[in-house]
């Protein structure tokens, strides 16, 4: 089969790789119908995730069809259309018993496209299939469903729920890429008073406007002052960091009000300064996290009911065979206007990018 293989920082290719097979009784083999590219994949290609060995097939999000299962698999069978979760769960370790599947100690957690071959291929082996794939209703389009493998549960759990968004809050989302936009969409479920999006790219701020934010700010133009003006000098109740660079994390800690929450979602490749000389007195809560995907069944129901704007985040679609082109478009988002790219699925055309 073909797969997108990491060969070291800055080196990758869509090339022939061995077909996956059943290795353990809890495995399933999925024929991939739709995948997407994550910002974490770009971090891997930059060398920010040294645990990924050269020769690994990348990708941790997919929709596809079960073609084979091990003898212990009970919840799915060949022919079932499923969502492959970005997080694998053994279901037996202490963390899985606490629904902290991202911290699984039994051979799960974030392993696809990280510690084992991932989903950016024609077929993928999924360990612990009973807890790591989700049957999909026929009414849910593949390009919508694949966004529920990672970015929506990540934004919802690590951003909105960890940030304790409540009715009447002022919520600032720093970074209006895919995760930030998903955080905006799911924060709206809690009826905050206002949501402010911060980014450098005009196209992404425009996408945030289309999702219904109340204000936008260019990250280069003192967004902290905008937040102060909107809140009578208090600061935001919740600030979601959805970029993953030191400057944006430090900006978030300047935006938050005393007693507020900073929910870090971004993947950081460098140290950031924690200004405790300013924060120690403010009763600020800072959370971090890898998604656990415990919310995926809920989000699937909401998407099926049309309550999540997943399709609005997809700007480009490609066939699987154009994986390298899709990576170039996604990595060059500042020029292409890409927010989320989907490969495979029902549509194979390229959707024109939104231009500021």
């Amino acid at each position: 089969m073909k797969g997108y293989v990491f060969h070291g920082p800055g080196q990758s290719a869509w090339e022939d790789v061995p077909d996956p097979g059943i290795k353990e009784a809890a495995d399933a083999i999925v024929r991939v119908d739709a995948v997407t590219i994550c910002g974490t994949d770009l971090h891997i290609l930059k060398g920010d995730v040294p645990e990924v060995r050269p020769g690994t097939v990348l990708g941790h999000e997919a929709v596809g069809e079960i073609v084979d299962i091990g003898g212990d698999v009970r919840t799915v069978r060949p022919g079932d259309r499923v969502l492959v979760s970005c997080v694998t769960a053994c279901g037996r370790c202490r963390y899985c018993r606490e629904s902290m599947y991202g911290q699984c100690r039994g051979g799960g957690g974030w392993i696809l496209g990280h510690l084992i071959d991932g989903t950016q291929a024609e077929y993928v082996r999924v360990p612990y299939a009973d807890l790591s794939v989700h049957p999909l209703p026929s009414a849910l389009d593949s390009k919508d469903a694949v966004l529920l493998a990672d970015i929506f549960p990540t934004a919802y759990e690590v951003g909105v729920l960890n940030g304790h968004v409540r009715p009447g809050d002022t919520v600032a989302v720093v970074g209006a890429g895919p995760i930030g936009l998903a955080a905006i969409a799911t924060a709206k479920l809690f009826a905050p008073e206002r949501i402010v999006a911060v980014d450098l790219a005009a196209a992404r701020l425009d996408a945030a406007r289309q999702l219904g934010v109340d204000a936008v700010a260019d990250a280069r133009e003192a967004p902290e002052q905008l937040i102060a003006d909107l809140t009578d000098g208090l600061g935001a109740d919740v600030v979601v960091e959805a970029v993953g660079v030191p400057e944006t994390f430090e900006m978030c800690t300047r935006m938050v009000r005393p007693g507020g929450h900073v929910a870090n979602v971004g993947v950081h490749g460098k140290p950031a300064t924690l200004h405790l000389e300013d924060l120690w007195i403010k009763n600020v809560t800072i959370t971090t996290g890898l998604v656990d995907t415990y919310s995926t069944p809920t989000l699937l129901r909401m998407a099926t009911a049309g309550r999540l704007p997943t399709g609005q985040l997809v700007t480009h679609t490609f066939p699987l065979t154009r994986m390298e082109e899709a990576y170039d478009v996604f990595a060059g988002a500042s020029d292409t206007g890409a927010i989320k790219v989907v490969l495979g699925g029902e549509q194979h055309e390229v959707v024109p990018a939104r231009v500021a």
Side-chain angles (χ1 to χ4, degrees), residues 11-27:
Q11 302 176 59
S12 56
W14 177 253
E15 61 189 43
D16 290 328
V17 293
D19 292 347
I22 298 294
K23 293 184 178 180
E24 304 290 342
D27 289 351

Side-chain angles (χ1 to χ4, degrees), residues 32-53:
V32 173
D33 293 332
V35 298
T36 184
I37 301 170
C38 181
T40 305
D41 297 321
L42 300 183
H43 280 281
I44 292 170
L45 290 177
K46 291 177 183 177
D48 290 344
V49 189
E51 298 86 6
V52 181
R53 299 187 306 272

